[in-house]
Amino acid sequence: MNTYPLPQDKEMTLIEHLSELRSRLLKSLVALAVCTLLCWGFIDSIIGFLTAPASNLYYMRPAEAFFIYLKVALAAGVLLASPLLFFQLWAFLVPAFNSREKSALLPFVICSVLLFWLGIGFSYYFVFPQGLSFFTSFAGERVAPMLSIESYLDFFLMLVLPFGFIFNLPMALIVLASMGLVGSQQLQKGRRYMILAAFILAGVITPTPDVVTQTLLAVPMIVLYEGSRLFIRYLLRK
């Protein structure tokens, strides 16, 4: 027996879809605003944690520190609000599922959140240190790195946050399969292109020209893709 509300099985009109979309967007924005405010209360600790790998940071413009603090609070708010944000996203897409698949909404949300956090953790511990080390390795006797807090944290967010969404590739493929847009056979045929795309994406995202690091980034994407294909084939039977 479901313990959370699910949309009815009847077909919704365009107006009803738009109304539901507006409602879920408003709920998502409220959740994000509340979580951002909560993170703002701990912004000094968050900034201290994020800037620990750097030695000294500076800000060049009077308002630079304030706006980068606001940006970090917003990013931390996304991380904190991610369970509610993913719930609103997948609950909106649930009407495209059948009755059996609708019952999996809550586990679906939990898996999305875990994959999102896993992707961020993976990037934080493996990608970001490599990138920072590479770009600061050009220092010499006459050239010394003088990082601003804006450039440092922008670089951090650019590398870390996207991986949360990249690691949700299985959930996106499962949704597409549930809607009948893709199947396991199509995914199997596209495997070679996915492998090529994974290495290209790893080469673009990775700031270091290190084959080992790029391979470490590409392999998780390939594993997630292959795991999704097997899930769709043997459990969804599509």
Side-chain angles (χ1 to χ4, degrees):
M1 182 176 182
N2 293 330
T3 58
Y4 46 89
L6 291 173
Q8 300 298 320
D9 289 338
K10 66 177 183 178
E11 184 176 352
M12 299 174 65
T13 65
L14 177 60
I15 300 299
E16 289 173 332
H17 275 297
L18 293 176
S19 177
E20 184 187 2
L21 176 61
R22 182 182 62 180
S23 174
R24 297 199 180 279
L25 284 176
L26 288 175
K27 291 176 182 178
S28 298
L29 290 175
V30 169
L32 181 58
V34 171
C35 290
T36 300
L37 288 175
L38 289 175
C39 292
W40 183 263
F42 300 92
I43 191 63
D44 289 333
S45 299
I46 296 173
I47 293 292
F49 175 76
L50 297 182
T51 58
S55 53
N56 294 313
L57 297 174
Y58 308 88
Y59 64 91
M60 311 300 181
R61 301 184 301 274
E64 180 178 336
F66 171 77
F67 285 111
I68 194 63
Y69 273 43
L70 187 62
K71 186 183 297 185
V72 170
L74 180 61
V78 171
L79 183 62
L80 185 61
S82 56
L84 294 173
L85 298 180
F86 276 113
F87 179 85
Q88 296 300 329
L89 171 64
W90 299 133
F92 175 73
L93 295 175
V94 155
F97 297 175
N98 59 40
S99 299
R100 179 177 62 85
E101 291 163 344
K102 287 179 182 180
S103 64
L105 174 60
L106 191 56
F108 201 81
V109 172
I110 293 173
C111 289
S112 292
V113 173
L114 292 178
L115 286 172
F116 183 71
W117 290 347
L118 181 62
I120 289 177
F122 177 81
S123 180
Y124 177 80
Y125 287 107
F126 292 99
V127 182
F128 178 69
Q130 294 288 336
L132 184 63
S133 175
F134 174 77
F135 282 114
T136 56
S137 65
F138 293 96
E141 294 182 0
R142 296 177 178 270
V143 180
M146 187 176 177
L147 300 176
S148 71
I149 187 171
E150 182 179 26
S151 61
Y152 173 85
L153 290 175
D154 280 346
F155 178 69
F156 176 87
L157 295 175
M158 178 189 71
L159 283 184
V160 173
L161 276 183
F163 274 83
F165 299 100
I166 290 174
F167 270 56
N168 262 275
L169 175 64
M171 314 314 294
L173 291 176
I174 291 172
V175 169
L176 292 175
S178 299
M179 292 179 175
L181 299 178
V182 298
S184 58
Q185 291 184 350
Q186 291 174 291
L187 295 177
Q188 185 171 358
K189 291 179 181 178
R191 181 190 297 165
R192 66 181 67 180
Y193 303 106
M194 172 57 193
I195 294 175
L196 177 62
F199 278 97
I200 293 176
L201 183 60
V204 171
I205 294 177
T206 308
T208 62
D210 181 5
V211 177
V212 175
T213 303
Q214 293 175 2
T215 301
L216 289 174
L217 297 180
V219 167
M221 287 186 275
I222 297 171
V223 171
L224 291 170
Y225 181 88
E226 191 64 19
S228 304
R229 185 185 69 81
L230 294 175
F231 182 91
I232 292 170
R233 178 179 180 180
Y234 294 107
L235 295 182
L236 294 185
R237 299 186 182 280
K238 292 188 177 182

